[in-house]
Amino acid sequence: MDQISNHFLCLAAGVTSSFKVNEPVPVTIDLLASILICTPRNVKFVLRKLEEQEYIQWQPGRGRGHISQLTFLKSIDEVFEDSFQELVSKGKIKEAIELMSSDQVTGPLKERLLTMLNKQMGFRSEAESTSGLDVLRITRNRHMEVLDPAYVYTAFESYLLGQIYSTLVTYDATTDTFLPGLAHMWEANEGHTSYIFYLRKGVRFHHGRIMTSRDVKETLQRLIDLNSPAVSLYKDIERVEVEGDHRIRFVLSRPNLFFLHLFSCIHMSILPYDIDITSEVSGTGPYRLLDLNEDVLVLAAFDFYFGIRPLLDRVEIWYLPKEASNERQYQLPDPEHGELLPDIISNHSIDYPALGCRYILFNFHREGIHQQLWFRQVIRILYSRTALIKELGGNRITPADSFLPWESSKRELLDPTLEHARALLAENGYQGEVFTLATKDKKEEREEALWLQTRAASVGLQIELYFFNEFKADHIQTTAEIQLAEEVLEDDWQWGMINYFNNKSNYLFSLLRKDQISLFSKVLGPFTESPKDERVKLLNQAEEILRDNYWVLHGCHMNKKAQLNQSLFGLHTGSFGFLDISKLWIKTRL
C-alpha cells in the first residue's frame, strides 16, 4: 500500500471511531498532526495530496486553532480495494497477499479481495524475444510442507513431486496396469524373486547429466540410509545389480507380486546421485523447480523432458491466507484484460470424489478415559456421519466406514441418538473431564471441529480445540486426546492403503502404541507376496481392526472441487484428483 493510502487509513482510524462517506467531520490541524505524528506544515502537504487523489475534501478553518472540516470521499474498504487492485495489476502478487493478510481486512472485504486476486491469476502470455511465455498462476491456501520423496506424505506435495520427478513405471488407474516411465520395459522371473528394468537412453536430469542405472540404485539406497517412513515396503530387496548404464536388476529374498507398485510410487522418484536434493532440486520430470520461497513456488517447463514437453512454460503457485477456500483455483484473467476466446471465458468447476475420507483417531500415548472402549463409542455417536452430511454439507458426500468409498457402500451404518451418548457417559461415571481435539487450521477442518465441540457440549462432554499448521507428532502426543484428520489416497489405492498401514510418519503411527501397530504387521505380513484379490482381503482385515476397536472413526467421503476457466484445455485429472499441469494449455484468439 502506498504512503498516501496509509495516511488516509491513519486519519480514518484516528479522527473518529466511525465515519460516513461524504459527511464532514470537525477537526483541527493540531489533532491531525498528532494522528500522523508530523508537523502542522507536513499535515497540510498530506491533505493536499489526499485531495488531489480524491480521497478527501478539506475545508480549513479561519485562523490558527479554529475548527476545520474533513470529508472522507471513500470508505476504508474502497481504499483497500483500490490499493489491492493497483498491486495485482502491476504483478505485485506478494505485496497484494501481504495487504490481504492485514488485520483490518476481514469478512466480506477479504472475500472480495480474493475474488479480485483470482481474476488476476491464471494465464498470462509474456513477451520473450520473438515468442511469448505461457504462464499459469494457481492459488493455494497453505505453504509447502516437504518436497523430498523420501519423506513426503501429504497429497499436494506428492502431486508436485510427480511434476518434478519421474519413476521407473507409472500406474494407470483406468486400466489397473503399469505403463513405461523411465524404464521402457521390465520383466520378472517365474517366481517373482528377480526383476529387471531396462532404462530409456538419453534421459536428462534438470541439472544436465544423463540418467543411468547408478541413479536408480542410489535412490533406493538413499531411502534406506535415511530410514524413510516408507522403507519397510522395500525390505524384500536382497541386493541390487547394475548390469550396465541402462539395465538394473533387483534380487528379492521372497516372492513379491506387488513390486511394480513400489517403483511407481512417489517415494521411488529417481534422484541424481551426484547432488544433494535438500539444497538443489533436480529431477527428470516435465517441470523443473525455478523458485521456492515463503510466497510462491515456480515451476518452469523442462525443454529436455524425455516425454512430451509441457505446453505451459511456467506455473506459479501462490500461497493465500488460511481463510481462503480449500478449492483449488485454476483461474484466467477477466476477458477485458486478456485475449481469450469470447465464447469460452466463463468460469466453471469440476468435481471428483476423492479416495479416502476425513476421520477421527485417538492418542493412545496420553492417559485418559479415551483409552476405554465405551468413551470411544460416545465419540462415534457424536461424530455422526449422517449428521455431518445433513448439518454441514459442503463437500461431504457419502458416509464413510472405510477409506475406500466402494467398501463403505457395502456396509449398513447405524447412528445411535445423542441420548444414547448421554446415557453412556452417565453409566460410566464421566466426571466432566476436559478433552482436547487437535486438527489442522484449515477452513473445513475448523468447521467440523467446532461442530463436534457443540454436539459434545449438548450431552455434557467438554472438548477444547487445538488448531495447528504443521503436524508434530511429539507435540500432539502430549497435547490432545483426539485427532481430526483427513486421508487422501493415490489413484493406486492398494499402494495408498498399504502405505497408510506402514508409513511411520503418518497420524496412525504417531498416535497408536507399538503393540497396536504390531497387529497390522501380523495381518499384512503376506501382503506383497499375495495376488491382488488376496491383498484386498488383507487390507479389509486391517481396517476391521480399526473399526472393531474404535481406534479410527471414519467420517465422510469428500468431493474435491477445482475452479476452472473454460479457456483451459487438456484437462486431465492426475493423482489425488489434481489437474495434470503438464497437459494444460490455453486457447487464445485466432
Side-chain angles (χ1 to χ4, degrees):
M1 182 173 287
D2 60 36
Q3 189 174 25
I4 294 300
S5 298
N6 276 323
H7 287 323
F8 175 91
L9 294 176
C10 287
L11 291 177
V15 168
T16 178
S17 58
S18 62
F19 68 88
K20 293 183 179 179
V21 176
N22 295 322
E23 287 192 6
V25 178
V27 295
T28 64
I29 289 290
D30 290 338
L31 171 64
L32 300 184
S34 66
I35 293 171
L36 296 176
I37 314 177
C38 64
T39 64
R41 180 180 179 182
N42 283 338
V43 167
K44 295 176 182 177
F45 173 79
V46 170
L47 293 173
R48 185 165 65 251
K49 287 292 184 182
L50 287 169
E51 274 199 298
E52 289 174 358
Q53 296 190 26
E54 299 182 345
Y55 276 53
I56 65 165
Q57 187 175 48
W58 172 247
Q59 182 63 48
R62 294 177 177 269
R64 181 176 175 83
H66 288 135
I67 299 299
S68 302
Q69 299 288 334
L70 175 62
T71 304
F72 294 99
L73 303 180
K74 293 185 177 182
S75 68
I76 291 176
D77 282 9
E78 286 177 313
V79 172
F80 268 110
E81 289 175 0
D82 290 346
S83 297
F84 188 83
Q85 181 63 55
E86 183 178 2
L87 289 172
V88 295
S89 64
K90 293 180 178 178
K92 297 182 178 181
I93 305 298
K94 177 182 177 180
E95 291 85 347
I97 292 173
E98 289 175 348
L99 178 62
M100 190 163 50
S101 302
S102 168
D103 292 338
Q104 294 174 276
V105 179
T106 59
L109 174 59
K110 178 160 289 188
E111 292 296 327
R112 291 198 299 275
L113 297 186
L114 282 169
T115 300
M116 292 167 63
L117 178 62
N118 284 328
K119 287 184 177 181
Q120 293 297 322
M121 304 302 279
F123 174 68
R124 286 289 186 276
S125 186
E126 300 178 358
E128 182 78 9
S129 66
T130 59
S131 62
L133 284 179
D134 288 342
V135 181
L136 182 69
R137 290 176 177 152
I138 301 173
T139 59
R140 181 73 180 160
N141 66 351
R142 68 176 179 82
H143 290 76
M144 294 299 98
E145 293 190 9
V146 177
L147 280 180
D148 185 334
Y151 297 109
V152 68
Y153 181 72
T154 59
F156 189 67
E157 282 69 23
S158 297
Y159 158 74
L160 281 179
L161 287 176
Q163 299 290 330
I164 298 171
Y165 296 104
S166 309
T167 51
L168 293 186
V169 294
T170 62
Y171 175 76
D172 182 12
T174 58
T175 60
D176 190 26
T177 58
F178 291 92
L179 302 176
L182 292 173
H184 65 86
M185 192 265 192
W186 57 91
E187 55 188 348
N189 66 357
E190 187 175 348
H192 297 280
T193 58
S194 176
Y195 285 79
I196 299 175
F197 292 90
Y198 300 87
L199 307 184
R200 297 180 188 273
K201 297 181 178 180
V203 175
R204 288 190 180 275
F205 286 106
H206 298 158
H207 70 299
R209 183 174 59 74
I210 299 293
M211 181 200 71
T212 68
S213 298
R214 180 180 174 185
D215 297 298
V216 179
K217 180 179 180 179
E218 295 297 333
T219 294
L220 176 62
Q221 190 60 48
R222 181 175 184 268
L223 289 182
I224 297 169
D225 293 344
L226 294 176
N227 193 25
S228 165
V231 77
S232 63
L233 290 167
Y234 300 85
K235 65 181 183 297
D236 291 345
I237 300 176
E238 200 168 67
R239 65 180 185 274
V240 182
E241 299 175 355
V242 173
E243 300 180 350
D245 284 348
H246 302 100
R247 175 171 156 148
I248 187 167
R249 181 192 300 270
F250 296 88
V251 180
L252 313 181
S253 60
R254 62 172 180 165
N256 192 319
L257 281 70
F258 194 67
F259 198 72
L260 292 181
H261 294 266
L262 306 182
F263 281 79
S264 69
C265 75
I266 200 66
H267 297 292
M268 265 306 292
S269 299
I270 304 305
L271 312 177
Y273 70 79
D274 55 341
I275 66 171
D276 179 2
I277 71 157
T278 59
S279 57
E280 179 184 356
V281 174
S282 180
T284 59
Y287 284 97
R288 59 187 176 88
L289 183 66
L290 195 62
D291 191 17
L292 173 60
N293 57 57
E294 63 181 11
D295 303 303
V296 64
L297 180 146
V298 182
L299 300 175
F302 183 43
D303 291 334
F304 301 102
Y305 176 51
F306 69 91
I308 300 174
R309 183 200 184 275
L311 297 169
L312 294 175
D313 299 298
R314 193 168 73 235
V315 176
E316 300 174 0
I317 301 171
W318 287 88
Y319 311 126
L320 299 184
K322 63 185 179 182
E323 292 83 1
S325 169
N326 286 350
E327 295 179 3
R328 291 184 282 279
Q329 304 281 341
Y330 299 87
Q331 295 280 14
L332 304 182
D334 195 282
E336 67 185 56
H337 297 113
E339 293 298 316
L340 305 175
L341 285 173
D343 57 338
I344 51 174
I345 55 174
S346 60
N347 289 333
H348 70 296
S349 64
I350 58 171
D351 298 347
Y352 40 88
L355 294 180
C357 68
R358 198 165 290 138
Y359 65 105
I360 279 176
L361 68 165
F362 296 88
N363 176 14
F364 288 92
H365 295 279
R366 189 171 169 86
E367 294 300 320
I369 58 174
H370 64 287
Q371 299 266 0
Q372 301 180 36
L373 178 63
W374 69 265
F375 181 82
R376 300 196 296 277
Q377 290 172 330
V378 168
I379 302 299
R380 171 71 283 174
I381 297 169
L382 296 175
Y383 191 53
S384 165
R385 292 158 282 200
T386 55
L388 264 173
I389 296 172
K390 181 179 179 181
E391 297 177 20
L392 294 184
N395 292 332
R396 302 167 185 88
I397 50 174
T398 55
D401 206 39
S402 164
F403 291 114
L404 305 172
W406 55 87
E407 293 295 336
S408 294
S409 66
K410 298 175 184 178
R411 304 177 62 85
E412 182 180 358
L413 304 182
L414 300 175
D415 277 339
T417 65
L418 291 176
E419 284 302 319
H420 186 53
R422 188 179 288 109
L424 278 172
L425 289 170
E427 290 169 11
N428 291 279
Y430 171 63
Q431 299 296 316
E433 295 96 328
V434 179
F435 295 87
T436 300
L437 181 147
T439 190
K440 280 199 169 182
D441 193 7
K442 295 171 63 177
K443 186 177 181 180
E444 289 185 353
E445 281 84 340
R446 176 181 285 272
E447 176 186 51
E448 205 158 294
L450 289 167
W451 173 84
L452 182 61
Q453 182 186 50
T454 300
R455 280 175 64 86
S458 72
V459 300
L461 176 63
Q462 299 183 63
I463 293 181
E464 291 183 347
L465 303 181
Y466 171 70
F467 299 101
F468 60 86
N469 292 312
E470 182 182 354
F471 176 75
K472 295 181 178 178
D474 55 349
H475 183 64
I476 298 298
Q477 286 173 359
T478 58
T479 302
E481 291 81 13
I482 308 169
Q483 170 87 44
L484 175 64
E486 184 174 0
E487 187 70 19
V488 180
L489 301 177
E490 295 89 335
D491 288 346
D492 184 358
W493 63 268
Q494 281 201 28
W495 161 260
M497 288 293 291
I498 194 63
N499 189 39
Y500 180 75
F501 286 109
N502 281 274
N503 194 309
K504 296 179 181 178
S505 68
N506 68 8
Y507 296 129
L508 190 72
F509 267 78
S510 300
L511 300 184
L512 296 189
R513 299 185 307 268
K514 289 183 179 179
D515 61 299
Q516 294 170 300
I517 294 294
S518 67
L519 295 178
F520 304 121
S521 299
K522 292 177 183 177
V523 169
L524 297 170
F527 182 83
T528 56
E529 58 185 310
S530 302
K532 179 180 177 181
D533 291 346
E534 290 300 317
R535 294 198 299 266
V536 172
K537 292 178 182 178
L538 293 174
L539 290 172
N540 285 338
Q541 289 177 35
E543 278 208 290
E544 284 292 348
I545 294 174
L546 296 177
R547 272 192 297 264
D548 292 347
N549 291 285
Y550 292 80
W551 293 345
V552 161
L553 311 178
H554 299 93
C556 294
H557 296 293
M558 309 299 291
N559 183 60
K560 298 299 182 180
K561 186 184 291 289
Q563 290 292 333
L564 306 169
N565 187 284
Q566 290 181 352
S567 291
L568 278 171
F569 284 74
L571 304 180
H572 296 272
T573 303
S575 192
F576 303 102
F578 295 92
L579 288 181
D580 185 348
I581 55 176
S582 70
K583 294 181 173 63
L584 284 177
W585 63 286
I586 294 92
K587 194 171 185 179
T588 53
R589 292 182 187 274
L590 296 176

